[in-house]
Amino acid sequence: MIALRSWWTVVAVAAAVLLGWLAGLAAPSLGWGAPVVGRSGLITVAAVSVLCLVLGWRVRRDREKPPAARMDPIAAARTLVLGQAAGFAGAALAGWHAGVALQVAARAGAGAPTVREAALQTAGGLVLLAVGLVVERWCRIPPEGDAAEGGRGEDGTAGRGRAPRPETEGGYARARD
């Protein structure tokens, strides 16, 4: 599974800021209100954040148990995916509302109720993003072997004590000659 990269979250936030700014620009000319999620959205974001943290903490605690007593690996993988999804959803939510807040603040001033709502949603999105990144970190599998060996096995090969197969070296399948 590919780890959530910080630069991808920055790209997601930047793209969402641009889209939110454009939506905030277009909404009044179409006769719509500002495209901001109401306060009930904060309750949902808080609930998802708490659920994600609880499940992530469960996986983190489970890593300290002996291998025979550990949880189902599929459940841990699902928690990892939940953390990644929460990270991207938080990035999109924060970016969108930051863009809308910038557009509305330029027209109506920083004290407008819509700007306050958008600022609250931006903060909620940033919290969800942070929770997603933390949960993903908790779900990482620690390297086997001694830390001084750099996670190498007894024979000096990387990862789980086995040498990489040439046909899949680097994580990509190679065609056989």
Side-chain angles (χ1 to χ4, degrees):
M1 185 151 309
I2 298 172
L4 191 62
R5 306 277 187 230
S6 57
W7 64 274
W8 272 111
T9 57
V10 171
V11 168
V13 169
V17 166
L18 178 64
L19 291 173
W21 187 82
L22 290 173
L25 181 66
S29 64
L30 296 171
W32 301 340
V36 176
V37 177
R39 290 194 186 211
S40 62
L42 285 177
I43 296 169
T44 304
V45 168
V48 170
S49 296
V50 168
L51 176 68
C52 192
L53 277 174
V54 167
L55 293 174
W57 184 257
R58 187 177 129 209
V59 171
R60 181 174 189 227
R61 240 187 4 192
D62 192 63
R63 287 183 1 188
E64 298 166 0
K65 294 180 182 176
R70 290 188 181 158
M71 71 186 332
D72 179 27
I74 300 297
R78 287 178 180 154
T79 303
L80 171 65
V81 170
L82 175 65
Q84 290 180 339
F88 276 122
L93 185 68
W96 175 272
H97 286 92
V100 171
L102 289 171
Q103 178 59 33
V104 172
R107 276 185 288 123
T114 303
V115 174
R116 285 194 302 270
E117 289 291 325
L120 285 173
Q121 290 295 334
T122 300
L126 291 174
V127 166
L128 187 59
L129 171 61
V131 165
L133 291 172
V134 166
V135 167
E136 184 196 27
R137 183 155 304 201
W138 285 349
C139 292
R140 286 187 184 160
I141 297 173
E144 291 188 19
D146 189 9
E149 297 176 19
R152 300 204 173 265
E154 291 177 9
D155 58 354
T157 57
R160 304 202 187 263
R162 59 180 179 236
R165 295 188 325 218
E167 65 270 8
T168 60
E169 192 170 83
Y172 297 100
R174 291 186 175 177
R176 294 182 184 227
D177 294 329

